[in-house]
Amino acid sequence: MRTSAFALLVSLIVIPFLAFAPATYAISIQYDAINLADITPGKDLWQYSYFVSDQVFNTDEGFDVFFALGLYEGINPVSAPTGWDILAFQPDSSLPQDGIYDAQAVVDNASLTDPFVVSFVWLGSGLPGSQAFEVFDSSFEVVASGQTAPAVAPVPEPSTLLLVGTGLVGIGGLRMRLRKRGP
């Protein structure tokens, strides 16, 4: 009896707080970086394809991906899923300000089925990598932030089956060998 009274008291205290808790955002933005054929000599042309998941965007909600000043130039949106308005702001050394790829939903439950694609000139050494991003709500308040991550290539199914099959054949062969030996 005492335990159920305690549980009721805790429920009466905790449930109202949960009802007014702010929304949580567990967004994931992954990218594929592709080295494109250079159009202008000395300008290393690349392309990012962003894959956004774990988030539903309604009208006027969206995200910004930041292109670090001194590492990127010529940010050019190539394509985006339907239901999105895309803008690109170039890095500006006179401010100084990073470049921004801005994606804003123009409909509720905007599509995330296709990637967001942007081309750019890479000024850094090595390969372009992760970038900072922010997610904003319809009042343009930042509600989440993070770093983009490289897209993980799925394990090809045929090779997985081959590996499992080889293991089973090996186990079967070992078992037959042990049977022939006897106890």
Side-chain angles (χ1 to χ4, degrees):
M1 183 72 171
R2 184 173 251 197
T3 304
S4 63
F6 178 73
L8 178 63
L9 179 63
V10 169
S11 298
L12 291 173
I13 294 171
V14 172
I15 290 175
F17 284 108
L18 293 176
F20 295 106
T24 58
Y25 297 86
I27 185 171
S28 169
I29 300 180
Q30 296 183 326
Y31 68 88
D32 277 334
I34 300 169
N35 193 352
L36 301 175
D38 298 338
I39 298 169
T40 306
K43 300 282 185 172
D44 192 10
L45 189 60
W46 282 78
Q47 175 179 290
Y48 277 129
S49 294
Y50 298 112
F51 303 92
V52 181
S53 60
D54 304 322
Q55 179 70 27
V56 173
F57 290 93
N58 291 317
T59 304
D60 293 333
E61 298 175 339
F63 65 93
D64 293 329
V65 178
F66 298 96
F67 288 74
L69 179 64
L71 293 179
Y72 300 91
E73 70 178 26
I75 302 165
N76 181 35
V78 175
S79 65
T82 50
W84 290 89
D85 185 25
I86 305 299
L87 293 172
F89 301 95
Q90 302 304 317
D92 189 344
S93 59
S94 64
L95 291 178
Q97 178 67 45
D98 289 342
I100 301 172
Y101 176 85
D102 176 78
Q104 184 177 357
V106 294
V107 296
D108 285 346
N109 198 20
S111 174
L112 296 174
T113 56
D114 296 319
F116 296 82
V117 181
V118 60
S119 65
F120 57 91
V121 173
W122 174 242
L123 304 174
S125 61
L127 304 175
S130 295
Q131 301 164 277
F133 72 83
E134 293 179 343
V135 178
F136 55 87
D137 63 16
S138 60
S139 62
F140 302 103
E141 294 290 325
V142 174
V143 294
S145 61
Q147 289 285 123
T148 61
V152 178
V155 175
E157 192 63 32
S159 63
T160 303
L161 290 175
L162 180 64
L163 183 61
V164 170
T166 303
L168 290 174
V169 168
I171 290 171
L174 181 62
R175 194 170 181 186
M176 286 177 60
R177 193 179 236 181
L178 292 175
R179 276 190 188 163
K180 283 183 181 180
R181 279 192 185 169

